[in-house]
Amino acid sequence: MITFSSVSKRYANGYEALKGISLTIENGEIVVVTGHSGAGKSTLLRLAAGIEFASTGNVLVNNQNLAQLKETGISVLRQNLGLVFQDHKLLFDRNVFGNAALPLEIAGFTRIEIGKRVRAALDKVGLLNREKADLVSLSGGEQQRLCIARAIVNRPSILIADEPTGNLDQAYAATILDLFRSFNQVGVTILLSTHDGSGLEHLKCRRVELEHGVIVR
């Protein structure tokens, strides 16, 4: 469960990205956050992931108040999160396989289990035949799909994705949304954002629309 209680986020330059947000995302739910560019979608997701912290109010993930967790506690929490953000944070000194394997290596999985999970994840996003490719050879859409593979390889209980289909063509975007739906069907809670609400009808999701940092519907 993810809970925002009267959450506001103000940056050092005075810009207030979120204003008094209260929102609960239940376990096993799909919630899609929509809104114009600058509405606060990315900020909301970054707060849920513990990448940024609220200026006022509380953000709880799995009943843990993120503002009260130390760095080690945040690290442990993130092992149950799959994160896909627009700043891919891919490692260009690793190939496709190496990037997807990183969460499993940190978690201490065996080489055999890493190989199985990484290849399964790459297959799901259509990159299995490129597992040895260097990142500089990937298109923007392929890098986005690699980020999604890295996010799901650890089989997280919560998947947080900021514009996960933004750099994908229509066919692959539909494939990725189908993948998210299949994960949700086995109990994964999904929080994702998009500026374009089309193509989401079959997800059976709840939509939350932001406008200038406020939930409007």
Side-chain angles (χ1 to χ4, degrees):
M1 180 187 294
I2 303 172
T3 302
F4 293 80
S5 299
S6 301
V7 169
S8 295
K9 176 63 178 180
R10 182 185 296 273
Y11 290 97
N13 63 3
Y15 175 68
E16 194 169 19
L18 295 175
K19 308 168 186 176
I21 297 292
S22 291
L23 173 67
T24 296
I25 299 160
E26 301 289 349
N27 290 333
E29 190 175 17
I30 302 178
V31 171
V32 178
V33 182
T34 63
H36 59 83
S37 178
K41 303 185 300 295
S42 295
T43 299
L44 188 145
L45 268 61
R46 291 172 75 86
L47 293 181
I51 296 172
E52 297 181 7
F53 297 92
S55 301
T56 60
N58 294 303
V59 180
L60 279 69
V61 178
N62 292 336
N63 295 319
Q64 297 183 80
N65 190 327
L66 299 190
Q68 296 176 356
L69 292 179
K70 296 181 179 179
E71 186 174 343
T72 53
I74 292 290
S75 297
V76 170
L77 178 73
R78 285 188 189 150
Q79 292 181 14
N80 290 316
L81 303 180
L83 305 178
V84 181
F85 283 92
Q86 296 179 55
D87 52 346
H88 296 149
K89 297 190 184 302
L90 295 171
L91 302 178
F92 279 78
D93 60 345
R94 285 173 168 247
N95 62 16
V96 167
F97 184 99
N99 270 273
L102 186 60
L104 300 178
E105 292 174 0
I106 293 172
F109 282 79
T110 66
R111 288 180 59 187
I112 293 175
E113 186 66 17
I114 288 173
K116 289 179 180 178
R117 289 198 181 203
V118 168
R119 291 187 177 97
L122 292 177
D123 189 34
K124 287 181 181 296
V125 300
L127 288 177
L128 183 57
N129 64 338
R130 306 218 61 194
E131 66 171 275
K132 296 181 180 179
D134 292 329
L135 265 62
V136 293
S137 69
L138 301 186
S139 68
E142 287 173 327
Q143 290 186 22
Q144 182 78 337
R145 285 187 274 143
L146 176 55
C147 289
I148 294 168
R150 184 182 59 187
I152 64 175
V153 74
N154 210 19
R155 300 174 185 171
S157 61
I158 299 174
L159 182 59
I160 298 173
D162 189 14
E163 300 278 0
T165 60
N167 293 321
L168 304 180
D169 61 35
Q170 188 172 2
Y172 262 119
T175 299
I176 293 303
L177 291 177
D178 284 340
L179 178 61
F180 284 3
R181 181 176 62 172
S182 70
F183 269 79
N184 176 253
Q185 288 173 341
V186 295
V188 178
T189 304
I190 297 176
L191 172 61
L192 66 88
S193 70
T194 180
H195 68 279
D196 180 10
S198 62
L200 299 175
E201 295 79 7
H202 67 299
L203 275 183
K204 297 181 180 179
C205 59
R206 175 161 60 102
R207 297 195 192 189
V208 175
E209 185 175 350
L210 290 178
E211 188 173 303
H212 302 296
V214 176
I215 295 176
V216 293
R217 60 180 62 85

